[in-house]
């Protein structure tokens, strides 16, 4: 069995042994678990801990484990993109579309060109290899940045800009990389031809994404089986990417658009709350698992001795892409003031220093043409740059966010969000009760009893919000009894509450901290029902 063909993005280089492969997987899973606990204790980003752990354990594995670029691009990348897109509220993207378009469009081109120019004259590279590395290093791994944001509360608009740029940054960079591969193979491509092809592949990818997204939404809305819907969304994510690639258009753009359509159409939202939560939870776990595996493998792939030999070149590459990012962020967002709401300067600092590199940069480096001059040195250069970026920027970014005081949230705002979460979940449960009554599941008397329970919470939250806004009250205590009847119905109501919270988080109405606390309380209530 050739392990390079396994769907786990690892390779041993020779004929593999299944038992040994399973042993490696168990080791990686145990290491990932330990890193998760240690990272939380040390308060460092999880992905940075994974890379460092991979560096440490690389020498102790029975066989060499490495990244497989084709499987990362064709399997892992669609999963990560679809997971991000299906959880993104399109109304938030619409409100920040101009800064996102500037950073993901002209920003990528500027960063790539500046980085390539510095590397060409600093390392003596030819233009094509320098431009390829420039595009590779223009890609930002937003997983690391969002991991920091989950630990520290930051404004929702900043999170939206970061997530939105990430969704389309990868697509533009991959299209540019493909054009450079074509130039390398054919010898030349005119600027007009390049722009035309760029527009065609993006427009074609968008069209395929819209078609597959709406077709998927039709099937998604017709099924109440959450497991079938999970399989459907997986097929859409992977199938859309492969179809687009086969037709010569952007698979990245197609997957992003398909995910946005499925996550935001009314058809998809018409399915039950429990169905939506199951599907979204699956994609959350899938994204987390894929990222865990990839970042561990990054650490396993990088050789410290190679990094030592190329250290000066790596430092120059880090300087080059930072200069490129600087010229992409500050001038473009300064122009934004002319036609849109400005992005605060402190946020621009985060966007500049948060351009951490990751797995896609390494996958593209491994996919460089075999005949490219100094291909091995270029791969080592990219690998070393990714390592320094993940460790250096990954560890310093939380400190930067705290120093900039971006994470500050007043106690009054936290209290308001807490009351809003109570109001939203209670009303969501009442809506679920209404649907159960209309469907004939509940008798009128039971419906009225349960609805009255939630109405108490609604009234209390509304009264407290009114008093808070009128500066009459600062405290609220809501007492809730523990019910022992109608457990099955109560579970459905708790699921409706969780769905309302997840929706509010997607729309950035509530902060991660408040939602996480409220979800933990609801989960505990669900566990209490199981214990009864």
């Amino acid at each position: 069995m050739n392990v390079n063909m396994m769907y786990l993005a690892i390779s041993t280089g020779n004929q593999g042994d299944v038992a040994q492969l399973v042993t490696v997987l168990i080791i990686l899973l145990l290491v990932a678990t330990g890193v998760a606990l240690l990272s939380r204790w040390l308060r460092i980003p999880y992905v940075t801990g994974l890379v460092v752990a991979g560096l440490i354990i690389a020498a102790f594995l029975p066989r060499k484990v490495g990244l497989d670029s084709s499987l990362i691009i064709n399997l892992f990348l669609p999963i990560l993109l679809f997971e991000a897109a299906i959880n993104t509220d399109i109304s938030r993207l619409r409100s920040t579309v101009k800064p996102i378009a500037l950073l993901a469009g002209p920003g990528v081109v500027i960063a790539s060109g500046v980085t390539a120019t510095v590397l060409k004259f600093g390392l003596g590279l030819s233009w094509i290899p320098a431009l390829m590395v420039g595009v590779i290093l223009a890609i930002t791994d937003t997983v690391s940045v969002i991991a920091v944001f989950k630990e520290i509360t930051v404004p929702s608009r900043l999170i939206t800009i970061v997530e939105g740029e990430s969704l389309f940054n990868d697509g533009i960079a991959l299209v540019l990389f493909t054009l450079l591969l074509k130039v390398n193979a054919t010898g030349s491509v005119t600027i007009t031809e390049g722009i035309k092809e760029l527009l065609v592949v993006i427009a074609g990818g968008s069209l395929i994404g819209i078609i597959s997204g709406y077709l998927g939404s039709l099937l998604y809305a017709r099924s109440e089986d959450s497991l079938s819907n999970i399989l459907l969304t997986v097929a859409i994510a992977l199938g859309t990417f492969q179809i687009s690639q086969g037709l010569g258009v952007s698979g990245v753009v197609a997957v992003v658009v398909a995910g946005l359509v499925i996550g935001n159409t009314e058809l998809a939202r018409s399915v039950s709350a429990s169905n939506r939560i199951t599907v979204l939870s699956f994609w959350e776990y899938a994204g987390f698992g894929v990222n865990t595996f990839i970042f561990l493998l990054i650490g396993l792939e990088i050789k410290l001795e190679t990094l030592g030999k190329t250290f000066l070149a790596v430092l120059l590459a880090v300087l080059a892409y930072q200069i490129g990012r600087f010229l992409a962020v500050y001038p473009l967002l300064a122009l934004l003031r002319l036609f849109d709401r400005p992005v605060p300067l402190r946020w621009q600092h985060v966007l500049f220093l948060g351009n951490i590199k990751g797995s896609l940069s390494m996958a593209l480096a491994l996919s460089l043409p075999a005949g490219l001059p100094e291909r091995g040195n270029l791969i080592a250069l990219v690998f070393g740059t990714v390592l320094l970026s993940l460790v250096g920027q990954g560890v310093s970014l939380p400190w930067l966010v705290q120093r900039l005081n971006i994470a500050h949230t007043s106690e009054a705002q936290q209290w308001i969000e807490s009351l809003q979460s109570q109001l939203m979940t209670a009303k969501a449960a009442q809506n679920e009760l209404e649907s159960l009554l209309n469907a004939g599941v509940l008798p009128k008397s039971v419906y009225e009893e349960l609805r009255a329970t939630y109405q108490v919470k609604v009234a209390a939250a509304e009264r407290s919000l009114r008093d808070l806004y009128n500066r009459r009250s600062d405290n609220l205590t809501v007492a809730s009894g523990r019910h022992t009847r109608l457990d099955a119905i109560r579970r459905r109501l708790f699921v409706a509450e969780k769905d309302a919270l997840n929706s509010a988080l997607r729309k950035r109405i509530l902060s991660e901290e408040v939602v996480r606390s409220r979800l933990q309380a609801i989960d505990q209530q669900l566990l209490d029902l199981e214990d009864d």
Side-chain angles (χ1 to χ4, degrees):
M1 179 186 66
N2 187 345
V3 183
N4 278 320
M5 301 303 294
M6 293 295 292
Y7 295 109
L8 295 172
I10 67 174
S11 59
T12 60
N14 299 305
Q15 293 294 320
D17 178 25
V18 174
Q20 202 165 43
L21 177 62
V22 172
T23 301
V24 171
L25 292 176
I26 292 172
I27 292 173
L28 294 180
L29 290 174
L30 290 174
V31 168
T33 303
V35 168
L37 298 173
L38 190 60
S39 298
R40 183 170 292 276
W41 181 60
L42 295 175
R43 301 186 67 82
I44 63 173
Y46 174 57
V47 293
T48 301
L50 288 173
V51 173
V52 174
L55 288 170
I56 294 172
I57 67 172
F60 301 99
L61 289 178
R63 287 178 181 269
K64 179 184 179 297
V65 179
L67 293 167
D68 187 318
S69 62
S70 63
L71 287 178
I72 288 177
I73 293 174
N74 290 283
L75 178 63
F76 286 170
L77 180 61
I79 290 174
L80 295 176
L81 291 171
F82 193 85
E83 187 269 335
I86 200 174
N87 282 290
T88 299
D89 184 73
I90 202 165
S91 63
R92 291 193 296 112
L93 282 183
R94 194 180 297 117
S95 66
T96 55
V97 65
K98 292 176 182 177
I100 289 172
L102 284 175
L103 293 174
V108 170
V109 175
I110 291 172
S112 302
V114 172
T115 304
T117 302
V118 174
L119 292 178
K120 171 178 170 52
F121 294 104
L123 299 179
L125 299 176
S126 302
W127 271 115
I128 294 300
L131 286 169
M132 286 182 175
V133 175
V135 170
I136 289 172
L137 296 182
I139 299 172
T140 299
D141 185 81
T142 310
V143 173
S144 305
V145 184
I146 297 302
V148 173
F149 290 171
K150 287 184 177 181
E151 299 296 328
I152 303 173
T153 303
V154 296
S156 61
R157 184 169 178 244
L158 175 57
I159 298 177
T160 303
I161 293 173
V162 171
E163 290 177 335
E165 183 195 0
S166 170
L167 284 173
F168 299 100
N169 172 295
D170 294 349
I172 299 299
L174 279 170
V175 169
L176 292 175
F177 188 77
T178 303
L179 285 175
L180 289 172
L181 290 177
K182 184 175 181 180
V183 172
N184 183 68
T186 61
S188 65
V189 171
T190 65
I191 295 178
T192 303
E193 290 175 345
I195 294 175
K196 181 180 178 180
E197 185 164 344
L198 181 68
L199 296 176
V200 167
V201 296
I202 292 176
S206 300
L207 180 61
I208 292 176
I210 291 172
I211 294 172
S212 62
Y214 275 104
L215 289 177
S217 294
L218 287 171
L219 297 173
Y220 185 75
R222 290 177 179 273
S223 173
E224 280 299 319
D225 180 7
S226 55
L227 297 180
S228 297
N229 279 341
I230 287 174
L231 293 178
L232 172 64
T233 53
V234 171
I236 291 171
L238 300 181
T240 300
F241 188 86
Q242 293 302 321
I243 291 172
S244 301
Q245 294 291 93
L247 294 176
V249 297
S250 175
V252 172
V253 173
V255 171
V256 168
V257 172
L260 289 172
V261 170
I262 291 177
N264 290 273
T265 57
E266 291 301 321
L267 280 172
R269 290 178 177 177
S270 65
V271 301
S272 67
S274 59
N275 197 327
R276 285 199 303 273
I277 286 177
T278 301
V279 172
L280 292 176
S281 295
F282 164 80
W283 280 103
E284 182 181 2
Y285 298 146
F288 178 78
V290 166
N291 276 309
T292 295
F293 204 66
I294 287 178
F295 282 101
L296 257 180
L297 291 176
I298 288 176
L300 294 172
E301 181 73 17
I302 295 173
K303 299 179 180 63
L304 291 178
E305 59 270 20
T306 304
L307 177 62
K309 297 176 183 177
T310 60
F311 187 69
L312 293 178
V314 167
L315 287 179
L316 179 63
V318 171
L319 177 64
Y321 81 68
Q322 291 288 43
I323 293 173
R325 181 67 174 179
F326 180 92
L327 295 176
V329 170
Y330 293 104
L332 289 178
L333 294 184
L335 292 175
L336 184 67
R337 295 174 177 271
L338 301 177
F339 51 86
D340 194 30
R341 183 157 55 119
V343 175
L345 186 61
R346 289 182 299 171
W347 295 13
Q348 295 180 37
H349 298 334
V350 176
L351 292 169
F352 164 56
L353 292 174
N355 62 328
I356 303 172
K357 309 307 166 190
S359 56
L360 184 55
S361 294
M362 296 183 68
L364 291 182
L366 290 171
S367 66
L368 289 170
L372 194 70
E374 299 187 359
R375 177 179 181 271
N377 291 335
L378 295 179
I379 293 175
L381 177 67
V382 172
F383 279 23
T385 304
V386 170
L387 176 61
L388 286 189
S389 174
L390 283 169
V391 175
Q393 292 173 261
V395 172
S396 62
L397 189 58
W399 174 83
L400 171 69
V401 173
Q402 290 178 328
R403 292 282 293 179
L404 292 173
N405 201 28
I406 292 175
H408 176 70
T409 303
S410 66
E411 291 184 6
Q413 180 62 28
Q414 290 180 347
W415 185 241
I416 289 173
E417 289 191 10
S418 177
L419 292 173
Q420 286 176 325
S421 70
Q422 178 179 317
L423 187 61
M424 293 172 64
T425 53
K427 288 193 171 185
Q430 286 183 329
N431 291 336
E432 185 72 7
L433 275 171
E434 191 77 30
S435 67
L436 292 173
L437 175 67
N438 294 334
V441 176
L442 280 180
K444 182 83 170 177
S445 59
V446 175
Y447 159 79
E448 291 176 347
E449 177 187 348
L450 291 174
R451 192 180 189 283
T453 302
Y454 281 103
Q455 188 59 36
V456 171
K457 296 182 180 181
V458 170
E462 288 179 340
R463 181 173 60 253
S464 297
L465 281 170
R466 181 197 64 208
D467 293 342
L468 186 63
Y469 287 132
N470 292 333
R471 299 179 180 272
R472 294 190 214 158
S473 174
D474 292 320
N475 297 293
L476 172 68
T477 303
V478 177
S480 58
R482 186 168 178 265
H483 304 281
T484 57
R485 297 180 294 125
L486 303 171
D487 285 353
I489 293 173
R490 294 189 189 283
R491 288 190 192 93
R492 291 195 62 172
L493 298 181
F494 287 138
V495 166
E497 293 185 29
K498 292 180 68 173
D499 184 52
L501 286 172
N502 285 324
S503 177
L505 182 61
R506 289 174 63 236
K507 294 176 182 294
R508 300 300 172 190
I509 296 172
L510 302 176
S511 65
E512 179 95 20
E513 180 182 1
V514 170
V515 171
R516 184 167 59 242
S517 174
R518 186 73 176 165
L519 285 175
Q520 288 174 349
I522 295 174
D523 287 338
Q524 184 59 53
Q525 290 175 295
L526 285 168
L527 288 174
D528 291 341
L529 285 177
E530 295 294 334
D531 293 337
D532 287 346

